Amino acid sequence: MNDVLAAVLEALAVLTYVALNAFVLIWLERKIAGHIQRRIGPLRVGGPGGSLQSLADGIKLFSKEDFRPGGRDGIIWWLAPLVSMTPAVMVFIAIPFGQHLIIHDMNIGLIYITSITSFGLLGVFMAGWGSNNKYSLLGAMRAGAQLFSYEIPAILSTIGVVLAAGSLSLETIVAKQSAHWFLFPQILGFIVFYVAILAETNRTPFDLAEAESELVGGYFTEYSGIRWAMFPFAEYGTLFTGCALATTLFLGGWHGPLFLPGWVWFLIKTYILVFIAMWIRWTLPRVRIDQLMDLGWKFLIPLSLINILGTGAYIALVR
Amino acid sequence: MASTSTTAGEQAPGLQSQLMTLNLGPQHPSTHGVLRVVVTLDGEEVVEAQPDIGYLHRNFEKIVEGWALPGVVPFSDRNDYLAAIANEVCVCDAIETLGEVELPDRAKWLRVLFAELQRIISHELWYGAFGMDLGAFTPFLYGFRDRETGYLLMEKATGARMLYAYNRIGGLRNDVTDAWLKELEGYLDFMEKQAFPEYMKLLIENEIFVMRTKGTGQLTREQAIAWGASGPVLRSTGLPWDLRKKRPYLVYDQLEFDVPTGTNGDNYDRAMVRMLEIKESIKIIRQVLRRLPDGPVLAKARAAVRPRVGEYYARQESPRGEVGVHLVSNGRPNAYRLKWRAPTFSHLQLVPLMCRGVKMADMIANLGSLDIVMGEVDR
Amino acid sequence: MSLPRTVWNTVKSLVVGHAVTAREIATRPITVFYPEEKPEFPTGSRSVPVLKVNEESGYINCTSCGLCERTCPPGCIEITQAVDPATNKKKPWPHLYTLDLSHCMVCNLCVEACPFDALEMLDVPELATYQVQDLKFHKEQLLDLWKTGKAIRIAEGQPMPSK
Ligand code: SF4
Ligand code: SF4
């Protein structure tokens, strides 16, 4: 009985945090975009700087007509938003926000996260296939190719860290970084990982799957209302978890020079990474699909292999 | 039925792939107005792209046949609504030539000034829209920001932001004040010192931009000439054909400026030519500011223009290319026939040629690099 | 180009681009909070031609000569001259004066054509309605509109007055 209660409480905590986090990130993104473009962004709803705008949008999306495209593939179309949102939520379980501030410390935490995030692709693909829309289909095809080829460098780039830490458990990896972060010995790995995160979360310069100027809305063209909202929700969730993972693996997790609580350090680092991702999004143009593939296969994968090689050689020689 | 794919050789036996027909537009984020392109796709690759026009047709040429000629000038603003001054000046030129109206000196210089200011504003918008086509949203708003300042200047001088109705047969409706000229100089300084370097750094010099545009949408000089291209599209292929130099009108023969050209005729060269044209326009306006003569801006003997019997083809270099007005008059106060030559109408016909076999994303970029204004294409 | 050079160029151009946006974040926004804060329109900004009331006589200047009606290219002005019912004689003022703003291209030609200084150009552009018919303004409405803004008539060939 206690186990069930704990599980429910954990699930609730995660869901609340994910929802709050998505709201904050969406608001933040619009604010940052606004200020970069000499605008103000959200302004009117709620407290300072229109901070309740996302909530208002959420309410609006809930009350919208549930539009369904004709000729859709019923169950696939219906399931797709859920399938793409679930992994975004599930990943939160394994992220160490602070020392012992982790819902489940698995000894295979890293593998759990990488395997769960790959599921997101399935939702995207289902959305594209089920919508019976050519734009959606093209978007889904692009997403498929893109996520598949960026999953590999993302995983390869973490191997250096695993080698250095000697563990797959995220808590152990962070604990190993108490003296120095893995950022500098693993700078190649960090760069590859960060670029791969950008690609996996479909953000400019890699937002080919939803390329507005080409594919209108990409794979979620045919969704509206709350079903549509689940896709950005998942996207921002993945962005956050990606950055959180980068913090955990390379930036020393909860370790920080000042005497702030560990989870504050963790959040600061993560949100800085998120901010950089947003900054990049509002600066760069989009790459083309073949250039994206080139970058992934011909550049990032060799780089991460070099990284593994270097780390391995170092460990073999020094120890 | 669509045929099997062109890459049939690579497929596993029994698998069949089909071509897909996609209607891009008329409501699509990047068709620059209401253009429809019927695209046949083989996966990501464009097999054929066929532009379909006419969604913005307003019957301009027929309507103006029934109007007295002074009314044609403000209506012509609506053709290329992003470069209204170029239209006005061109149609005024045709009417003035047939009506034998002599332009005052100041009017000539001011027309040059406004045409060049309009070129800057138009290229700013193009810069933003092209950035948007390539997926960068921020350049769009930077372009808009500076364009808005330019439009405010225009509004102060002419009374309207986009559709100025500023030229009259025989000159300009209003004079400009010295204070306005000062303000214009400030705008040029801002463009030169701050905005232009920013444009270059943010988008044009960006490696991703270069990667995306170099070698795509390539046109040879022969193709460009054969399809009637003009303006930056023609100049990007290396031919320095600029009506301001080759057939000087107004006072362009007294001004010093270069004609930027490209070498490859690809999207990158077209972008570069347009960016350099902003610089040249700034140079021209500075010369005009220095040499602007005093005097009236509106000719006296212009009331009740009656063009003589005959025909005349006036043409000028608009930001998009050669805009031309063929005016046929039978001596009545309205035109017997007025044919409008729109540069982007010819450019749009290049789309099938440029887009065969390219990726979907490049097709959008090609379309954007031609700088198409549907108001002018459909008329 | 060699690979290191390409990489170096790419990295440099990316950094330079981000520096531009970073600088813009720090500068003040340029937008105006529209309904609360109205932008100032330059003098002479045109939105709709309106009938003017003569300050001295207190009547409108229009004599119903019909010149504006004939000049207007799209033909959006319609005038009916006033008639004295007793004598059946025409009176020098309009009985009806309708301007269809939905056709008007705000070209200023009618204002220029009027020989009696009866028309002026208004500078209030907020005239949007939900119905096209509501854009048909009658004489009285045009006079009311005249009072809402700073309508002016700029003599031909003269500079736009600055604020
Ligand atoms: S502004 Fe032009 S279109 Fe409008 S009523 Fe006057 S003449 Fe006609
Ligand atoms: S031209 Fe002037 S006076 Fe004549 S009808 Fe029009 S408004 Fe009235």
Side-chain angles (χ1 to χ4, degrees):
Chain A
M1 188 59 209
N2 260 348
D3 281 359
V4 176
L5 195 66
V8 169
L9 278 181
E10 278 168 6
L12 267 181
V14 168
L15 273 177
T16 320
Y17 183 71
V18 174
L20 263 179
N21 178 57
F23 280 152
V24 170
L25 286 191
I26 289 172
W27 173 80
L28 198 69
E29 170 118 86
R30 293 177 60 183
K31 264 318 213 201
I32 289 171
H35 280 279
I36 281 183
Q37 297 160 354
R38 303 286 295 273
R39 299 183 286 119
I40 305 234
L43 176 71
R44 288 174 209 282
V45 188
S51 42
L52 292 185
Q53 180 72 47
S54 310
L55 194 67
D57 284 347
I59 294 171
K60 180 198 79 178
L61 288 171
F62 257 113
S63 56
K64 268 182 108 165
E65 183 200 346
D66 181 20
F67 173 79
R68 293 145 199 244
R72 68 187 179 277
D73 199 331
I75 205 140
I76 293 183
W77 183 82
W78 180 81
L79 263 179
L82 301 174
V83 171
S84 71
M85 205 174 95
T86 317
V89 178
M90 278 168 74
V91 169
F92 275 79
I93 295 174
I95 290 179
F97 285 84
Q99 201 160 18
H100 309 306
L101 207 66
I102 178 170
I103 291 176
H104 263 291
D105 181 29
M106 292 167 250
N107 54 4
I108 49 153
L110 197 56
I111 293 186
Y112 169 79
I113 287 184
T114 43
S115 48
I116 287 288
T117 40
S118 327
F119 263 105
L121 170 61
L122 200 61
V124 169
F125 213 77
M126 282 163 74
W129 186 259
S131 299
N132 187 29
N133 178 313
K134 290 167 184 170
Y135 292 119
S136 304
L137 188 63
L138 274 175
M141 290 301 171
R142 284 178 176 193
Q146 174 178 344
L147 297 194
F148 176 66
S149 49
Y150 277 77
E151 201 67 41
I152 298 170
I155 295 171
L156 284 181
S157 63
T158 58
I159 290 183
V161 173
V162 174
L163 282 178
S167 167
L168 282 168
S169 150
L170 291 174
E171 245 192 340
T172 321
I173 290 178
V174 177
K176 283 265 158 104
Q177 298 184 61
S178 58
H180 67 271
W181 299 353
F182 285 148
L183 174 63
F184 284 108
Q186 303 282 341
I187 183 80
L188 277 182
F190 176 71
I191 292 171
V192 172
F193 188 73
Y194 197 66
V195 173
I197 290 174
L198 290 184
E200 278 192 52
T201 46
N202 278 327
R203 300 181 66 80
T204 322
F206 310 111
D207 63 339
L208 288 101
E210 47 199 77
E212 192 231 3
S213 58
E214 294 154 29
L215 302 182
V216 190
Y219 56 87
F220 50 68
T221 307
E222 290 289 358
Y223 287 86
S224 68
I226 197 67
R227 288 185 210 280
W228 172 82
M230 284 184 199
F231 287 108
F233 207 79
E235 193 189 308
Y236 285 97
T238 335
L239 175 66
F240 181 84
T241 47
C243 291
L245 204 57
T247 309
T248 310
L249 295 177
F250 298 98
L251 301 182
W254 63 77
H255 294 300
L258 282 174
F259 298 105
L260 284 174
W263 58 272
V264 176
W265 275 116
F266 181 84
L267 287 185
I268 289 176
K269 289 175 199 167
T270 307
Y271 279 112
I272 286 177
L273 287 184
V274 170
F275 169 77
I276 294 174
M278 291 178 176
W279 184 14
I280 290 174
R281 169 164 180 184
W282 297 105
T283 303
L284 295 183
R286 184 186 305 126
V287 298
R288 202 172 51 213
I289 183 86
D290 53 325
Q291 293 163 345
L292 179 94
M293 291 295 158
D294 278 1
L295 183 70
W297 291 97
K298 295 191 190 156
F299 201 75
L300 293 186
I301 291 183
L303 263 192
S304 49
L305 288 176
I306 290 172
N307 185 42
I308 295 174
L309 207 68
T311 317
Y314 176 81
I315 290 172
L317 291 177
V318 173
R319 292 199 193 141
Chain B
M1 256 331 271
S3 62
T4 49
S5 158
T6 44
T7 51
E10 296 166 18
Q11 287 166 5
L15 267 186
Q16 227 195 21
S17 79
Q18 273 187 2
L19 297 183
M20 179 161 89
T21 305
L22 186 64
N23 272 313
L24 206 73
Q27 288 124 345
H28 184 276
S30 59
T31 46
H32 299 262
V34 279
L35 168 66
R36 184 168 77 121
V37 188
V38 184
V39 196
T40 313
L41 286 173
D42 178 11
E44 271 282 328
E45 230 150 80
V46 176
V47 178
E48 209 191 335
Q50 205 64 49
D52 181 12
I53 62 172
Y55 290 90
L56 208 55
H57 183 55
R58 302 176 304 278
N59 211 352
F60 170 82
E61 287 174 11
K62 190 69 197 170
I63 284 177
V64 298
E65 282 174 22
W67 287 9
L69 283 171
V72 178
V73 182
F75 192 27
S76 71
D77 281 353
R78 275 90 184 147
N79 281 343
D80 181 354
Y81 41 77
L82 298 178
I85 289 280
N87 302 340
E88 288 180 11
V89 171
C90 193
V91 79
C92 280
D93 184 21
I95 300 171
E96 280 153 11
T97 313
L98 278 189
E100 279 149 11
V101 181
E102 192 58 40
L103 265 184
D105 253 3
R106 190 176 166 86
K108 281 187 197 164
W109 286 85
L110 277 180
R111 274 188 184 176
V112 170
L113 184 148
F114 276 104
E116 294 304 319
L117 182 56
Q118 179 77 80
R119 194 182 310 276
I120 297 176
I121 293 175
S122 171
H123 284 345
E124 273 165 6
L125 176 74
W126 170 83
Y127 163 80
F130 192 48
M132 191 100 131
D133 287 339
L134 295 177
F137 193 68
T138 301
F140 184 67
L141 283 148
Y142 288 178
F144 251 69
R145 174 196 67 192
D146 305 333
R147 172 175 178 259
E148 208 50 49
T149 330
Y151 271 165
L152 191 65
L153 272 174
M154 283 291 204
E155 188 175 6
K156 279 180 181 160
T158 69
R161 281 181 71 254
M162 265 178 106
L163 307 168
Y164 311 105
Y166 185 49
N167 287 274
R168 293 286 183 267
I169 296 166
L172 299 167
R173 151 119 187 97
N174 295 118
D175 204 343
V176 293
T177 57
D178 288 342
W180 185 84
L181 293 174
K182 269 263 144 46
E183 212 175 313
L184 174 62
E185 220 169 331
Y187 178 65
L188 297 184
D189 284 343
F190 165 79
M191 273 308 297
E192 211 166 32
K193 299 225 171 66
Q194 202 193 327
F196 189 77
E198 202 173 276
Y199 292 174
M200 298 300 278
K201 279 187 211 156
L202 182 61
L203 189 67
I204 309 285
E205 283 168 6
N206 188 308
E207 261 317 290
I208 297 181
F209 177 87
V210 177
M211 234 159 65
R212 279 293 307 274
T213 52
K214 270 231 164 100
T216 60
Q218 208 148 4
L219 281 175
T220 63
R221 188 182 305 185
E222 288 70 37
Q223 277 171 333
I225 294 171
W227 287 85
S230 53
V233 178
L234 180 58
R235 287 196 285 277
S236 71
T237 62
L239 189 71
W241 180 263
D242 189 324
L243 292 175
R244 292 174 295 173
K245 276 263 192 250
K246 301 281 175 191
R247 302 276 185 278
Y249 50 94
L250 296 174
V251 289
Y252 277 112
D253 46 352
Q254 303 174 39
L255 293 166
E256 249 174 66
F257 61 95
D258 300 326
V259 178
T261 53
T263 42
N264 299 324
D266 56 8
N267 288 346
Y268 182 77
D269 278 359
R270 282 192 279 278
M272 239 14 222
V273 166
R274 290 205 175 90
M275 293 322 276
L276 292 177
E277 273 184 14
I278 293 184
K279 282 212 129 158
E280 294 306 317
S281 292
I282 294 176
K283 213 158 98 188
I284 295 175
I285 297 180
R286 284 198 194 285
Q287 291 174 48
V288 174
L289 285 177
R290 231 180 307 122
R291 298 171 59 180
L292 190 62
D294 281 336
V297 291
L298 207 51
K300 285 251 161 53
R302 58 176 198 99
V305 199
R306 278 215 179 220
R308 66 181 153 77
V309 182
E311 50 188 290
Y312 183 68
Y313 177 65
R315 53 178 180 173
Q316 318 218 321
E317 190 73 27
S318 95
R320 266 156 275 280
E322 174 184 335
V323 57
V325 173
H326 188 167
L327 179 67
V328 184
S329 163
N330 53 3
R332 296 168 60 82
N334 49 349
Y336 175 73
R337 173 86 172 91
L338 193 151
K339 164 82 177 87
W340 195 273
R341 185 209 187 267
T344 51
F345 181 78
S346 311
H347 295 164
L348 194 59
Q349 313 312 316
L350 285 163
V351 168
L353 185 78
M354 286 166 75
C355 296
R356 204 161 296 141
V358 304
K359 294 265 183 309
M360 169 93 172
D362 276 347
M363 196 199 87
I364 302 285
N366 293 347
L367 211 56
S369 80
L370 292 175
D371 196 7
I372 281 156
V373 173
M374 289 315 285
E376 184 183 55
V377 174
D378 290 343
R379 300 194 284 281
Chain C
M1 247 195 299
S2 60
L3 185 69
R5 252 203 108 65
T6 321
V7 173
W8 166 245
N9 277 348
T10 312
V11 172
K12 201 178 86 186
S13 75
L14 296 189
V15 170
V16 165
H18 283 88
V20 171
T21 38
R23 213 184 54 214
E24 295 288 340
I25 285 192
T27 40
R28 238 164 40 87
I30 46 164
T31 40
V32 176
F33 308 107
Y34 170 58
E36 289 108 40
E37 203 182 298
K38 302 234 159 118
E40 264 201 36
F41 297 105
T43 329
S45 178
R46 306 192 302 259
S47 70
V48 55
V50 286
L51 283 170
K52 147 186 189 182
V53 178
N54 194 322
E55 309 264 284
E56 287 162 28
S57 62
Y59 294 113
I60 55 175
N61 272 352
C62 177
T63 60
S64 188
C65 72
L67 263 181
C68 53
E69 194 180 9
R70 251 173 289 146
T71 311
C72 176
C76 50
I77 300 178
E78 233 174 274
I79 304 172
T80 321
Q81 200 164 8
V83 180
D84 191 336
T87 56
N88 231 0
K89 262 209 188 128
K90 285 187 175 166
K91 291 282 178 187
W93 61 78
H95 173 57
L96 290 174
Y97 190 108
T98 343
L99 186 135
D100 191 349
L101 188 58
S102 64
H103 292 179
C104 174
M105 54 183 185
V106 205
C107 63
N108 209 35
L109 288 180
C110 52
V111 181
E112 282 160 41
C114 177
F116 297 99
D117 187 22
L119 282 173
E120 280 188 346
M121 220 16 136
L122 190 71
D123 67 343
V124 180
E126 290 153 325
L127 296 165
T129 59
Y130 285 104
Q131 307 265 301
V132 180
Q133 300 93 284
D134 294 349
L135 286 173
K136 236 182 184 165
F137 294 116
H138 300 290
K139 189 170 68 181
E140 291 72 25
Q141 285 165 304
L142 286 173
L143 283 166
D144 287 344
L145 271 178
W146 180 75
K147 291 180 198 128
T148 57
K150 280 181 295 212
I152 54 164
R153 171 180 185 153
I154 297 154
E156 264 174 47
Q158 293 306 303
M160 283 282 193
S162 46
K163 274 246 160 74

